[in-house]
Amino acid sequence: MSWNDFMKRLVVGKKRDKNFSTQDLPKNRRQVFKFIYKNRLIEQFNAGLLCILFCLPLIVWQIISFSARANVDVESLTQLEIFNEYVNLITTKNLINIPCLMLASIGLAGLVYVVRKLCFNEPISLLKDFGKGIKN
């Protein structure tokens, strides 16, 4: 397979034996999901990667806060000191969780807009539509 054939197949897709007809179109939501899953998988995967980029600070912060909670030495502290230590950890964790969750929800808004366009079988430009979903 030459480079031009590879690029053409990547852009246009595989050759089909027949064109779509009204019988091939999905009738209910479950069939729409299967149709989109089979025909637009690359766009779904790329949109998910963009959403994960927005969720990355939250994931990293959860790992850091979990390891900080696991490193508390409960053997050498009194109950009051342990209680104060956990209250401080929980307060700090939640204060930093709020902006991380806000950033993750921004990415989720873009993802939902792209998935909605995929479900309506509209053409998408991934970065442009992801940004439009964030703006909306």
Side-chain angles (χ1 to χ4, degrees):
M1 179 183 286
S2 70
W3 178 254
N4 289 336
D5 292 339
F6 175 73
M7 291 306 292
K8 185 177 179 181
R9 185 172 179 196
L10 187 65
V11 172
V12 176
K14 296 178 187 175
K15 275 191 156 183
R16 302 220 176 225
D17 295 336
K18 61 179 182 152
N19 288 333
F20 284 118
S21 65
T22 55
Q23 289 81 19
D24 297 331
L25 294 176
K27 305 285 188 276
N28 56 28
R29 292 187 190 270
R30 184 174 292 144
Q31 289 177 346
V32 169
F33 176 76
K34 288 179 185 175
F35 180 81
I36 296 299
Y37 186 73
K38 284 182 0 186
N39 295 313
R40 307 290 291 271
L41 186 63
I42 304 256
E43 289 92 352
Q44 289 178 5
F45 182 74
N46 291 337
L49 285 179
L50 278 175
C51 186
I52 285 177
L53 285 177
F54 282 88
C55 295
L56 205 57
L58 180 65
I59 294 167
V60 169
W61 176 245
Q62 291 295 328
I63 291 170
I64 290 170
S65 63
F66 180 76
S67 66
R69 193 175 2 157
N71 289 337
V72 174
D73 184 24
V74 293
E75 300 296 327
S76 63
L77 299 174
T78 65
Q79 283 186 343
L80 184 60
E81 290 171 338
I82 293 171
F83 177 75
N84 287 335
E85 188 71 28
Y86 278 127
V87 167
N88 289 337
L89 281 172
I90 289 171
T91 304
T92 306
K93 178 185 174 201
N94 289 336
L95 284 176
I96 297 177
N97 266 352
I98 292 170
C100 290
L101 284 170
M102 290 169 58
L103 188 64
S105 65
I106 290 171
L108 187 64
L111 178 70
V112 166
Y113 185 76
V114 169
V115 169
R116 187 184 82 187
K117 285 190 80 165
L118 284 173
C119 287
F120 291 159
N121 206 15
E122 296 177 9
I124 64 166
S125 171
L126 188 64
L127 292 175
K128 199 185 296 185
D129 288 331
F130 198 86
K132 188 174 181 185
I134 289 172
K135 284 181 190 177
N136 288 347

